[in-house]
Amino acid sequence: MEKRKTYITTPLYYVNAKPHIGHSYTQIICDTAARFRKQCGEEVFFMTGTDEHGEKIEKATLEAGFEKGQEKKFVDTIVPHFKELWKKLDIKYDHFIRTTDMVHEETVKRVLSILYEKGKIYKKLYKGWFCTPCEMFWSHIHAPDGICPDCKRKLDKLNEENYFFKTSEYQNALIKHIKETNAFILPDMRKNEVLSFLENNELQDLCISRPKTRLSWGIELPFDKNFVTYVWFDALLNYISGIGYLDDRKRFDSLWPDAIHVIGKDILRHHAIYWPIMLLAIDEKPPKCICTHGWWMTEGEKMSKSKGNIIDPLKIIAKYGVDAFRYYLLAAVPFGYDGTFSEKLFIERYNNDLANDLGNLLNRTLTMVEKYFDGIVPEVKLSCDEGMKSAIENLPGKFGATFMQFDSSFALKEIWKLVKQANKHIEDKAPWKLAKKNKEELSAVMYELIQAIGIIAVLLYSSMPDSARKMWKQLGMKPDIASKNICTPETEKEKFWGIIPSGTKTAKGKPLFPRIVLE
Ligand code: ME8
């Protein structure tokens, strides 16, 4: 059997338009989690991709001037925009899956056949509400006023024969699973939301088809060529089709037990209700964790392609750099909550956290090591400052505990506590005065500051890979920072003290975070 690996996924984004800050956020969370877990010695497989079938895409194809039947040609023009942005954002995924990939289409057909043969899929006439933008059916109980409970747009009336999946049979099994599985849905407020929905509503069977008379761009049902598969039923299966469910069971078994889906709260119900039920119905386990973040808003509204209020991440990156952008998204909002993106807020945080706090600490310290010790990290004869030492030794543990739960904002705050403590240490000790009277104490202070920056760089690597690498280089360190193992047992935490050995030749470079001056 292959060694077990942590398997991290993003949603598969619709290719009806270019990606924006919201999509970037999910990608950055996943990339950061994958990098950090690798630093902790875990093996990780990180998958992302695109959702390419369904009504939205068919409509976008025609709007882009392509003809009906040319959907694949259209999506082929959009996918590179996603890949280009992920490259610019320094997103290191292991596999990019497209729902038009052959192995995915075959997997969807296989699962449909299994469920059909098991008697879990049946045909009936559907009369009721349908939300075209969300591709969701709504009963009169959930939408008595004809407005979509999710996107608040007007619903369409539908009267049509379709295939349904017996979702309702699994309602109790799912409630049990959610209650009994620790950290299945994160954060807790989302778990409670799902449980309350399941405990207060009778699940409706899920419509899993669309008649070809209405939609032809999709995967044909293996048991009825007059229908294509509902786009969500198709897309959710990517999480297993991409890791060998159909063609490489060994690989699948090594990855599926530790599957973590990172999603936005808009698609929680699909992931926390329909998806686990689909898996239970084919005798597979639900994923290990569904990790749900909030929304980026602009002017009080969710940023979304269909509302046309998006901010282009490429413009922000071009102006301020990729790591500043990554840092802002990861630090500004506690995991699970909504955040407002504005350039003003971005600049404020950049100037405070990166230019003032971190940038100053790095520049001042390296300048002093250069000035007082010819750029060489000094030997220390005195006993060191216990406050600095214990803050440095305890930081990785504190940071890791929250970071593993995806709370990057909280975890980064822990780093900034040390940044501020180190800056205060400089003010308190006034090395420029020590230089005149006490070289031994000066050595100790410089050593302490360098150790603080060393551990800060290592812990920042997953969030700001390029800047952390540059910090590491300025500290004079040669081996790749990505390979610096940070999850050592509690008993070994003193290893973090001395992470930058005495005698290392530092190499102060250009300031990493120059202040942004508003015109
Ligand atoms: O829903 N704030 O694709 P999608 C934060 N194809 N995150 C946001 C966001 C915002 N304003 N807008 C989008 C789909 N996102 C389906 C998924 S998965 C099997 C199928 C992010 O292109 C967030 O991760 O509409 C959200 O869940 C996802 O993009 C929706 O992307």
Side-chain angles (χ1 to χ4, degrees), residues 10-16 20-26 50-51 56 82 232 235-239 262-267 271 293-297 301-305:
T10 71
L12 294 201
Y13 307 111
Y14 288 127
V15 281
N16 54 345
H20 57 73
I21 286 183
H23 307 102
S24 308
Y25 183 48
T26 320
T50 41
D51 190 352
K56 272 186 214 256
F82 282 82
W232 268 102
L236 285 164
L237 285 165
N238 91 83
Y239 298 129
V262 179
I263 58 164
K265 66 178 183 180
D266 46 328
I267 53 176
H271 282 79
H293 64 68
W295 285 339
W296 284 95
M297 322 275 281
E301 281 209 309
K302 181 190 174 216
M303 207 183 288
S304 88
K305 288 172 274 198

mmCIF file of all heavy atoms in Angstrom, residues 10-16 20-26 50-51 56 82 232 235-239 262-267 271 293-297 301-305, ligand 1:
data_model
loop_
_atom_site.group_PDB
_atom_site.id
_atom_site.type_symbol
_atom_site.label_atom_id
_atom_site.label_comp_id
_atom_site.label_asym_id
_atom_site.label_seq_id
_atom_site.Cartn_x
_atom_site.Cartn_y
_atom_site.Cartn_z
ATOM 1 N N THR A 10 -9.114 22.546 -3.817
ATOM 2 C CA THR A 10 -9.902 23.781 -3.943
ATOM 3 C C THR A 10 -11.204 23.395 -4.648
ATOM 4 O O THR A 10 -11.282 22.301 -5.223
ATOM 5 C CB THR A 10 -9.178 24.813 -4.827
ATOM 6 O OG1 THR A 10 -9.231 24.345 -6.189
ATOM 7 C CG2 THR A 10 -7.744 25.011 -4.402
ATOM 8 N N PRO A 11 -12.193 24.291 -4.671
ATOM 9 C CA PRO A 11 -13.331 23.998 -5.548
ATOM 10 C C PRO A 11 -12.844 24.044 -6.998
ATOM 11 O O PRO A 11 -11.772 24.578 -7.284
ATOM 12 C CB PRO A 11 -14.293 25.173 -5.292
ATOM 13 C CG PRO A 11 -13.809 25.854 -4.065
ATOM 14 C CD PRO A 11 -12.338 25.580 -3.963
ATOM 15 N N LEU A 12 -13.645 23.487 -7.893
ATOM 16 C CA LEU A 12 -13.324 23.664 -9.319
ATOM 17 C C LEU A 12 -14.108 24.880 -9.783
ATOM 18 O O LEU A 12 -15.332 24.904 -9.707
ATOM 19 C CB LEU A 12 -13.757 22.447 -10.137
ATOM 20 C CG LEU A 12 -13.051 21.123 -9.879
ATOM 21 C CD1 LEU A 12 -13.221 20.195 -11.063
ATOM 22 C CD2 LEU A 12 -11.582 21.310 -9.553
ATOM 23 N N TYR A 13 -13.394 25.890 -10.248
ATOM 24 C CA TYR A 13 -14.057 27.154 -10.565
ATOM 25 C C TYR A 13 -14.735 27.098 -11.930
ATOM 26 O O TYR A 13 -14.217 26.494 -12.864
ATOM 27 C CB TYR A 13 -13.024 28.293 -10.528
ATOM 28 C CG TYR A 13 -12.270 28.307 -9.217
ATOM 29 C CD1 TYR A 13 -10.928 27.974 -9.154
ATOM 30 C CD2 TYR A 13 -12.937 28.586 -8.027
ATOM 31 C CE1 TYR A 13 -10.248 27.946 -7.941
ATOM 32 C CE2 TYR A 13 -12.267 28.560 -6.807
ATOM 33 C CZ TYR A 13 -10.925 28.231 -6.779
ATOM 34 O OH TYR A 13 -10.267 28.197 -5.582
ATOM 35 N N TYR A 14 -15.876 27.789 -12.019
ATOM 36 C CA TYR A 14 -16.562 27.896 -13.306
ATOM 37 C C TYR A 14 -15.706 28.711 -14.250
ATOM 38 O O TYR A 14 -15.157 29.753 -13.852
ATOM 39 C CB TYR A 14 -17.904 28.609 -13.142
ATOM 40 C CG TYR A 14 -18.955 27.793 -12.441
ATOM 41 C CD1 TYR A 14 -19.628 28.310 -11.338
ATOM 42 C CD2 TYR A 14 -19.312 26.526 -12.904
ATOM 43 C CE1 TYR A 14 -20.614 27.577 -10.700
ATOM 44 C CE2 TYR A 14 -20.291 25.788 -12.267
ATOM 45 C CZ TYR A 14 -20.943 26.318 -11.160
ATOM 46 O OH TYR A 14 -21.911 25.598 -10.534
ATOM 47 N N VAL A 15 -15.676 28.282 -15.488
ATOM 48 C CA VAL A 15 -14.843 29.009 -16.453
ATOM 49 C C VAL A 15 -15.684 29.953 -17.308
ATOM 50 O O VAL A 15 -15.430 30.136 -18.488
ATOM 51 C CB VAL A 15 -14.047 28.027 -17.356
ATOM 52 C CG1 VAL A 15 -12.843 27.496 -16.645
ATOM 53 C CG2 VAL A 15 -14.937 26.891 -17.829
ATOM 54 N N ASN A 16 -16.705 30.549 -16.670
ATOM 55 C CA ASN A 16 -17.523 31.503 -17.446
ATOM 56 C C ASN A 16 -16.914 32.903 -17.449
ATOM 57 O O ASN A 16 -17.386 33.781 -18.136
ATOM 58 C CB ASN A 16 -18.975 31.541 -16.937
ATOM 59 C CG ASN A 16 -19.055 31.810 -15.452
ATOM 60 O OD1 ASN A 16 -18.060 31.695 -14.750
ATOM 61 N ND2 ASN A 16 -20.215 32.178 -14.981
ATOM 62 N N HIS A 20 -11.111 36.039 -9.838
ATOM 63 C CA HIS A 20 -10.924 37.303 -9.117
ATOM 64 C C HIS A 20 -10.344 37.055 -7.720
ATOM 65 O O HIS A 20 -9.839 35.967 -7.425
ATOM 66 C CB HIS A 20 -12.238 38.083 -9.063
ATOM 67 C CG HIS A 20 -13.388 37.357 -8.431
ATOM 68 N ND1 HIS A 20 -13.482 37.135 -7.085
ATOM 69 C CD2 HIS A 20 -14.494 36.783 -8.983
ATOM 70 C CE1 HIS A 20 -14.595 36.489 -6.825
ATOM 71 N NE2 HIS A 20 -15.231 36.247 -7.957
ATOM 72 N N ILE A 21 -10.460 38.070 -6.842
ATOM 73 C CA ILE A 21 -9.839 37.971 -5.518
ATOM 74 C C ILE A 21 -10.414 36.812 -4.699
ATOM 75 O O ILE A 21 -9.690 36.130 -3.976
ATOM 76 C CB ILE A 21 -9.995 39.320 -4.772
ATOM 77 C CG1 ILE A 21 -9.026 40.320 -5.398
ATOM 78 C CG2 ILE A 21 -9.742 39.179 -3.270
ATOM 79 C CD1 ILE A 21 -8.994 41.670 -4.748
ATOM 80 N N GLY A 22 -11.719 36.572 -4.816
ATOM 81 C CA GLY A 22 -12.348 35.474 -4.079
ATOM 82 C C GLY A 22 -11.686 34.138 -4.399
ATOM 83 O O GLY A 22 -11.324 33.364 -3.507
ATOM 84 N N HIS A 23 -11.512 33.867 -5.698
ATOM 85 C CA HIS A 23 -10.865 32.603 -6.087
ATOM 86 C C HIS A 23 -9.408 32.574 -5.622
ATOM 87 O O HIS A 23 -8.897 31.550 -5.196
ATOM 88 C CB HIS A 23 -10.913 32.411 -7.606
ATOM 89 C CG HIS A 23 -12.296 32.547 -8.181
ATOM 90 N ND1 HIS A 23 -12.710 33.674 -8.821
ATOM 91 C CD2 HIS A 23 -13.343 31.705 -8.165
ATOM 92 C CE1 HIS A 23 -13.972 33.528 -9.197
ATOM 93 N NE2 HIS A 23 -14.382 32.332 -8.807
ATOM 94 N N SER A 24 -8.768 33.743 -5.713
ATOM 95 C CA SER A 24 -7.359 33.812 -5.294
ATOM 96 C C SER A 24 -7.242 33.433 -3.821
ATOM 97 O O SER A 24 -6.290 32.770 -3.412
ATOM 98 C CB SER A 24 -6.807 35.230 -5.457
ATOM 99 O OG SER A 24 -7.065 35.691 -6.749
ATOM 100 N N TYR A 25 -8.215 33.885 -3.045
ATOM 101 C CA TYR A 25 -8.192 33.620 -1.593
ATOM 102 C C TYR A 25 -8.179 32.115 -1.323
ATOM 103 O O TYR A 25 -7.331 31.618 -0.574
ATOM 104 C CB TYR A 25 -9.423 34.279 -0.976
ATOM 105 C CG TYR A 25 -9.535 34.172 0.530
ATOM 106 C CD1 TYR A 25 -8.462 34.477 1.361
ATOM 107 C CD2 TYR A 25 -10.741 33.800 1.130
ATOM 108 C CE1 TYR A 25 -8.585 34.412 2.742
ATOM 109 C CE2 TYR A 25 -10.871 33.737 2.512
ATOM 110 C CZ TYR A 25 -9.791 34.038 3.314
ATOM 111 O OH TYR A 25 -9.914 33.973 4.683
ATOM 112 N N THR A 26 -9.082 31.398 -1.943
ATOM 113 C CA THR A 26 -9.139 29.939 -1.719
ATOM 114 C C THR A 26 -7.814 29.295 -2.132
ATOM 115 O O THR A 26 -7.283 28.428 -1.428
ATOM 116 C CB THR A 26 -10.292 29.300 -2.532
ATOM 117 O OG1 THR A 26 -11.416 30.165 -2.489
ATOM 118 C CG2 THR A 26 -10.656 27.941 -1.997
ATOM 119 N N THR A 50 -10.868 23.219 -12.900
ATOM 120 C CA THR A 50 -11.975 24.023 -13.442
ATOM 121 C C THR A 50 -13.216 23.180 -13.730
ATOM 122 O O THR A 50 -13.136 22.024 -14.129
ATOM 123 C CB THR A 50 -11.519 24.736 -14.744
ATOM 124 O OG1 THR A 50 -10.723 23.829 -15.511
ATOM 125 C CG2 THR A 50 -10.715 25.973 -14.444
ATOM 126 N N ASP A 51 -14.367 23.844 -13.555
ATOM 127 C CA ASP A 51 -15.687 23.242 -13.714
ATOM 128 C C ASP A 51 -16.226 23.730 -15.060
ATOM 129 O O ASP A 51 -16.481 24.926 -15.212
ATOM 130 C CB ASP A 51 -16.547 23.765 -12.539
ATOM 131 C CG ASP A 51 -17.875 23.056 -12.417
ATOM 132 O OD1 ASP A 51 -18.212 22.264 -13.314
ATOM 133 O OD2 ASP A 51 -18.574 23.307 -11.409
ATOM 134 N N LYS A 56 -24.344 27.618 -17.276
ATOM 135 C CA LYS A 56 -23.558 28.856 -17.191
ATOM 136 C C LYS A 56 -22.532 28.912 -18.316
ATOM 137 O O LYS A 56 -22.305 29.948 -18.910
ATOM 138 C CB LYS A 56 -22.759 28.854 -15.873
ATOM 139 C CG LYS A 56 -23.485 29.416 -14.686
ATOM 140 C CD LYS A 56 -22.478 29.461 -13.544
ATOM 141 C CE LYS A 56 -23.143 29.206 -12.235
ATOM 142 N NZ LYS A 56 -23.366 30.288 -11.386
ATOM 143 N N PHE A 82 -6.807 31.144 -15.642
ATOM 144 C CA PHE A 82 -6.706 30.593 -14.285
ATOM 145 C C PHE A 82 -5.269 30.159 -14.025
ATOM 146 O O PHE A 82 -4.671 30.530 -13.027
ATOM 147 C CB PHE A 82 -7.673 29.402 -14.104
ATOM 148 C CG PHE A 82 -9.102 29.825 -13.893
ATOM 149 C CD1 PHE A 82 -9.928 30.147 -14.946
ATOM 150 C CD2 PHE A 82 -9.622 29.912 -12.602
ATOM 151 C CE1 PHE A 82 -11.235 30.555 -14.749
ATOM 152 C CE2 PHE A 82 -10.932 30.313 -12.386
ATOM 153 C CZ PHE A 82 -11.746 30.630 -13.464
ATOM 154 N N TRP A 232 -23.413 19.990 -10.891
ATOM 155 C CA TRP A 232 -22.832 19.783 -9.552
ATOM 156 C C TRP A 232 -22.506 18.316 -9.285
ATOM 157 O O TRP A 232 -21.496 17.996 -8.666
ATOM 158 C CB TRP A 232 -23.778 20.317 -8.464
ATOM 159 C CG TRP A 232 -23.468 21.735 -8.120
ATOM 160 C CD1 TRP A 232 -24.147 22.849 -8.536
ATOM 161 C CD2 TRP A 232 -22.369 22.206 -7.327
ATOM 162 N NE1 TRP A 232 -23.548 23.971 -8.041
ATOM 163 C CE2 TRP A 232 -22.459 23.621 -7.295
ATOM 164 C CE3 TRP A 232 -21.327 21.584 -6.648
ATOM 165 C CZ2 TRP A 232 -21.553 24.407 -6.599
ATOM 166 C CZ3 TRP A 232 -20.419 22.368 -5.957
ATOM 167 C CH2 TRP A 232 -20.535 23.761 -5.937
ATOM 168 N N ALA A 235 -19.337 17.853 -11.157
ATOM 169 C CA ALA A 235 -18.142 18.536 -10.639
ATOM 170 C C ALA A 235 -17.654 17.962 -9.307
ATOM 171 O O ALA A 235 -16.450 17.822 -9.090
ATOM 172 C CB ALA A 235 -18.421 20.023 -10.487
ATOM 173 N N LEU A 236 -18.581 17.633 -8.413
ATOM 174 C CA LEU A 236 -18.150 17.132 -7.097
ATOM 175 C C LEU A 236 -17.300 15.865 -7.228
ATOM 176 O O LEU A 236 -16.381 15.633 -6.438
ATOM 177 C CB LEU A 236 -19.368 16.855 -6.209
ATOM 178 C CG LEU A 236 -20.054 18.111 -5.637
ATOM 179 C CD1 LEU A 236 -21.450 17.788 -5.110
ATOM 180 C CD2 LEU A 236 -19.209 18.738 -4.522
ATOM 181 N N LEU A 237 -17.603 15.084 -8.250
ATOM 182 C CA LEU A 237 -16.864 13.819 -8.395
ATOM 183 C C LEU A 237 -15.394 14.034 -8.769
ATOM 184 O O LEU A 237 -14.590 13.101 -8.726
ATOM 185 C CB LEU A 237 -17.553 12.915 -9.409
ATOM 186 C CG LEU A 237 -18.834 12.254 -8.860
ATOM 187 C CD1 LEU A 237 -19.686 11.674 -9.986
ATOM 188 C CD2 LEU A 237 -18.481 11.143 -7.862
ATOM 189 N N ASN A 238 -15.016 15.276 -9.091
ATOM 190 C CA ASN A 238 -13.599 15.525 -9.416
ATOM 191 C C ASN A 238 -12.691 15.123 -8.264
ATOM 192 O O ASN A 238 -11.552 14.717 -8.473
ATOM 193 C CB ASN A 238 -13.387 17.009 -9.745
ATOM 194 C CG ASN A 238 -13.025 17.831 -8.509
ATOM 195 O OD1 ASN A 238 -11.867 17.891 -8.102
ATOM 196 N ND2 ASN A 238 -14.019 18.423 -7.863
ATOM 197 N N TYR A 239 -13.221 15.283 -7.039
ATOM 198 C CA TYR A 239 -12.367 15.030 -5.880
ATOM 199 C C TYR A 239 -11.903 13.572 -5.827
ATOM 200 O O TYR A 239 -10.880 13.283 -5.224
ATOM 201 C CB TYR A 239 -13.108 15.394 -4.587
ATOM 202 C CG TYR A 239 -13.499 16.853 -4.482
ATOM 203 C CD1 TYR A 239 -14.800 17.237 -4.174
ATOM 204 C CD2 TYR A 239 -12.548 17.849 -4.689
ATOM 205 C CE1 TYR A 239 -15.157 18.583 -4.074
ATOM 206 C CE2 TYR A 239 -12.900 19.194 -4.600
ATOM 207 C CZ TYR A 239 -14.197 19.549 -4.291
ATOM 208 O OH TYR A 239 -14.536 20.879 -4.194
ATOM 209 N N VAL A 262 -11.195 22.681 0.787
ATOM 210 C CA VAL A 262 -11.328 24.087 1.187
ATOM 211 C C VAL A 262 -12.307 24.748 0.216
ATOM 212 O O VAL A 262 -12.139 24.645 -1.002
ATOM 213 C CB VAL A 262 -9.961 24.812 1.155
ATOM 214 C CG1 VAL A 262 -10.126 26.278 1.543
ATOM 215 C CG2 VAL A 262 -8.981 24.123 2.098
ATOM 216 N N ILE A 263 -13.324 25.388 0.773
ATOM 217 C CA ILE A 263 -14.384 25.980 -0.068
ATOM 218 C C ILE A 263 -14.835 27.317 0.518
ATOM 219 O O ILE A 263 -14.554 27.624 1.675
ATOM 220 C CB ILE A 263 -15.622 25.045 -0.149
ATOM 221 C CG1 ILE A 263 -16.167 24.774 1.272
ATOM 222 C CG2 ILE A 263 -15.311 23.755 -0.871
ATOM 223 C CD1 ILE A 263 -17.567 24.208 1.292
ATOM 224 N N GLY A 264 -15.584 28.074 -0.271
ATOM 225 C CA GLY A 264 -16.249 29.269 0.246
ATOM 226 C C GLY A 264 -17.612 28.870 0.805
ATOM 227 O O GLY A 264 -18.160 27.832 0.436
ATOM 228 N N LYS A 265 -18.170 29.720 1.657
ATOM 229 C CA LYS A 265 -19.423 29.347 2.332
ATOM 230 C C LYS A 265 -20.605 29.253 1.356
ATOM 231 O O LYS A 265 -21.621 28.654 1.676
ATOM 232 C CB LYS A 265 -19.731 30.342 3.452
ATOM 233 C CG LYS A 265 -20.027 31.752 2.982
ATOM 234 C CD LYS A 265 -20.367 32.676 4.143
ATOM 235 C CE LYS A 265 -20.732 34.061 3.613
ATOM 236 N NZ LYS A 265 -21.063 35.017 4.632
ATOM 237 N N ASP A 266 -20.454 29.831 0.152
ATOM 238 C CA ASP A 266 -21.524 29.753 -0.849
ATOM 239 C C ASP A 266 -21.807 28.324 -1.293
ATOM 240 O O ASP A 266 -22.908 28.029 -1.757
ATOM 241 C CB ASP A 266 -21.170 30.615 -2.075
ATOM 242 C CG ASP A 266 -19.744 30.410 -2.556
ATOM 243 O OD1 ASP A 266 -18.875 30.130 -1.710
ATOM 244 O OD2 ASP A 266 -19.491 30.495 -3.765
ATOM 245 N N ILE A 267 -20.823 27.455 -1.166
ATOM 246 C CA ILE A 267 -21.033 26.106 -1.694
ATOM 247 C C ILE A 267 -20.943 25.060 -0.577
ATOM 248 O O ILE A 267 -20.626 23.905 -0.818
ATOM 249 C CB ILE A 267 -20.054 25.804 -2.873
ATOM 250 C CG1 ILE A 267 -18.589 26.061 -2.486
ATOM 251 C CG2 ILE A 267 -20.398 26.652 -4.069
ATOM 252 C CD1 ILE A 267 -17.604 25.689 -3.593
ATOM 253 N N HIS A 271 -21.228 20.724 -0.601
ATOM 254 C CA HIS A 271 -20.098 19.917 -0.110
ATOM 255 C C HIS A 271 -20.403 19.162 1.172
ATOM 256 O O HIS A 271 -19.861 18.080 1.402
ATOM 257 C CB HIS A 271 -18.865 20.810 0.101
ATOM 258 C CG HIS A 271 -18.186 21.141 -1.179
ATOM 259 N ND1 HIS A 271 -18.649 22.101 -2.031
ATOM 260 C CD2 HIS A 271 -17.082 20.603 -1.776
ATOM 261 C CE1 HIS A 271 -17.873 22.157 -3.102
ATOM 262 N NE2 HIS A 271 -16.905 21.261 -2.961
ATOM 263 N N HIS A 293 -14.416 28.939 4.190
ATOM 264 C CA HIS A 293 -14.055 30.339 4.478
ATOM 265 C C HIS A 293 -15.191 31.275 4.088
ATOM 266 O O HIS A 293 -16.149 30.888 3.418
ATOM 267 C CB HIS A 293 -12.741 30.718 3.788
ATOM 268 C CG HIS A 293 -12.778 30.680 2.294
ATOM 269 N ND1 HIS A 293 -13.512 31.565 1.541
ATOM 270 C CD2 HIS A 293 -12.166 29.860 1.404
ATOM 271 C CE1 HIS A 293 -13.328 31.301 0.261
ATOM 272 N NE2 HIS A 293 -12.538 30.272 0.153
ATOM 273 N N GLY A 294 -15.045 32.538 4.518
ATOM 274 C CA GLY A 294 -16.074 33.535 4.231
ATOM 275 C C GLY A 294 -15.864 34.186 2.877
ATOM 276 O O GLY A 294 -15.085 33.705 2.057
ATOM 277 N N TRP A 295 -16.550 35.289 2.670
ATOM 278 C CA TRP A 295 -16.507 35.969 1.372
ATOM 279 C C TRP A 295 -15.717 37.262 1.436
ATOM 280 O O TRP A 295 -15.762 37.976 2.436
ATOM 281 C CB TRP A 295 -17.924 36.355 0.940
ATOM 282 C CG TRP A 295 -18.742 35.217 0.454
ATOM 283 C CD1 TRP A 295 -18.311 34.019 -0.013
ATOM 284 C CD2 TRP A 295 -20.167 35.190 0.390
ATOM 285 N NE1 TRP A 295 -19.376 33.239 -0.379
ATOM 286 C CE2 TRP A 295 -20.530 33.941 -0.139
ATOM 287 C CE3 TRP A 295 -21.178 36.098 0.724
ATOM 288 C CZ2 TRP A 295 -21.852 33.567 -0.343
ATOM 289 C CZ3 TRP A 295 -22.492 35.732 0.522
ATOM 290 C CH2 TRP A 295 -22.833 34.473 -0.009
ATOM 291 N N TRP A 296 -15.071 37.569 0.322
ATOM 292 C CA TRP A 296 -14.533 38.918 0.128
ATOM 293 C C TRP A 296 -15.628 39.748 -0.500
ATOM 294 O O TRP A 296 -16.268 39.338 -1.471
ATOM 295 C CB TRP A 296 -13.264 38.890 -0.740
ATOM 296 C CG TRP A 296 -12.131 38.393 0.083
ATOM 297 C CD1 TRP A 296 -11.681 37.110 0.154
ATOM 298 C CD2 TRP A 296 -11.382 39.149 1.033
ATOM 299 N NE1 TRP A 296 -10.681 37.024 1.089
ATOM 300 C CE2 TRP A 296 -10.475 38.266 1.640
ATOM 301 C CE3 TRP A 296 -11.381 40.491 1.433
ATOM 302 C CZ2 TRP A 296 -9.585 38.666 2.621
ATOM 303 C CZ3 TRP A 296 -10.495 40.897 2.417
ATOM 304 C CH2 TRP A 296 -9.601 39.984 2.994
ATOM 305 N N MET A 297 -15.844 40.913 0.110
ATOM 306 C CA MET A 297 -16.928 41.780 -0.325
ATOM 307 C C MET A 297 -16.333 43.077 -0.889
ATOM 308 O O MET A 297 -15.212 43.459 -0.536
ATOM 309 C CB MET A 297 -17.807 42.167 0.870
ATOM 310 C CG MET A 297 -18.044 41.076 1.896
ATOM 311 S SD MET A 297 -19.390 40.022 1.472
ATOM 312 C CE MET A 297 -20.754 41.049 1.981
ATOM 313 N N GLU A 301 -21.235 44.099 -0.811
ATOM 314 C CA GLU A 301 -21.783 42.959 -1.555
ATOM 315 C C GLU A 301 -20.707 41.920 -1.811
ATOM 316 O O GLU A 301 -19.517 42.264 -1.922
ATOM 317 C CB GLU A 301 -22.282 43.437 -2.918
ATOM 318 C CG GLU A 301 -23.621 44.120 -2.880
ATOM 319 C CD GLU A 301 -24.340 43.927 -4.198
ATOM 320 O OE1 GLU A 301 -23.720 44.199 -5.232
ATOM 321 O OE2 GLU A 301 -25.506 43.475 -4.190
ATOM 322 N N LYS A 302 -21.122 40.646 -1.937
ATOM 323 C CA LYS A 302 -20.157 39.608 -2.276
ATOM 324 C C LYS A 302 -19.535 39.938 -3.633
ATOM 325 O O LYS A 302 -20.253 40.311 -4.564
ATOM 326 C CB LYS A 302 -20.863 38.249 -2.379
ATOM 327 C CG LYS A 302 -19.909 37.129 -2.695
ATOM 328 C CD LYS A 302 -20.627 35.846 -3.040
ATOM 329 C CE LYS A 302 -19.638 34.802 -3.477
ATOM 330 N NZ LYS A 302 -20.119 33.921 -4.528
ATOM 331 N N MET A 303 -18.194 39.804 -3.690
ATOM 332 C CA MET A 303 -17.544 40.010 -4.971
ATOM 333 C C MET A 303 -17.873 38.813 -5.855
ATOM 334 O O MET A 303 -17.646 37.671 -5.456
ATOM 335 C CB MET A 303 -16.030 40.056 -4.724
ATOM 336 C CG MET A 303 -15.271 40.859 -5.726
ATOM 337 S SD MET A 303 -13.518 40.766 -5.372
ATOM 338 C CE MET A 303 -13.367 41.753 -3.916
ATOM 339 N N SER A 304 -18.471 39.061 -7.007
ATOM 340 C CA SER A 304 -18.786 37.902 -7.848
ATOM 341 C C SER A 304 -18.821 38.271 -9.326
ATOM 342 O O SER A 304 -19.112 39.409 -9.684
ATOM 343 C CB SER A 304 -20.106 37.251 -7.418
ATOM 344 O OG SER A 304 -21.181 37.846 -8.077
ATOM 345 N N LYS A 305 -18.511 37.236 -10.126
ATOM 346 C CA LYS A 305 -18.449 37.442 -11.569
ATOM 347 C C LYS A 305 -19.781 37.964 -12.084
ATOM 348 O O LYS A 305 -19.844 38.883 -12.871
ATOM 349 C CB LYS A 305 -18.155 36.099 -12.257
ATOM 350 C CG LYS A 305 -16.748 35.628 -12.066
ATOM 351 C CD LYS A 305 -16.542 34.214 -12.594
ATOM 352 C CE LYS A 305 -16.904 33.161 -11.582
ATOM 353 N NZ LYS A 305 -16.380 31.831 -11.806
HETATM 354 O O1 ME8 B 1 -19.139 27.385 -7.228
HETATM 355 N N1 ME8 B 1 -15.044 35.550 -1.633
HETATM 356 O O2 ME8 B 1 -17.502 27.756 -8.828
HETATM 357 P P1 ME8 B 1 -17.238 29.319 -8.684
HETATM 358 C C1 ME8 B 1 -14.374 34.429 -1.295
HETATM 359 N N2 ME8 B 1 -17.974 25.423 -9.877
HETATM 360 N N3 ME8 B 1 -14.301 33.346 -2.092
HETATM 361 C C2 ME8 B 1 -14.915 33.405 -3.279
HETATM 362 C C3 ME8 B 1 -15.631 34.553 -3.697
HETATM 363 C C4 ME8 B 1 -15.670 35.669 -2.804
HETATM 364 N N4 ME8 B 1 -16.276 36.809 -3.099
HETATM 365 N N5 ME8 B 1 -16.119 34.311 -4.927
HETATM 366 C C5 ME8 B 1 -15.706 33.053 -5.271
HETATM 367 C C6 ME8 B 1 -18.435 27.013 -8.155
HETATM 368 N N6 ME8 B 1 -14.980 32.520 -4.290
HETATM 369 C C7 ME8 B 1 -18.459 25.565 -8.567
HETATM 370 C C8 ME8 B 1 -17.673 24.749 -7.580
HETATM 371 S S1 ME8 B 1 -16.625 22.446 -6.704
HETATM 372 C C9 ME8 B 1 -16.888 20.828 -7.011
HETATM 373 C C10 ME8 B 1 -17.657 23.275 -7.856
HETATM 374 C C11 ME8 B 1 -14.331 31.191 -4.294
HETATM 375 O O3 ME8 B 1 -16.370 29.698 -9.833
HETATM 376 C C12 ME8 B 1 -14.823 30.327 -3.141
HETATM 377 O O4 ME8 B 1 -13.917 29.275 -2.951
HETATM 378 O O5 ME8 B 1 -18.490 30.067 -8.474
HETATM 379 C C13 ME8 B 1 -16.124 29.807 -3.701
HETATM 380 O O6 ME8 B 1 -16.624 28.693 -2.995
HETATM 381 C C14 ME8 B 1 -15.685 29.460 -5.112
HETATM 382 O O7 ME8 B 1 -14.757 30.517 -5.459
HETATM 383 C C15 ME8 B 1 -16.835 29.423 -6.099
HETATM 384 O O8 ME8 B 1 -16.312 29.393 -7.387
#
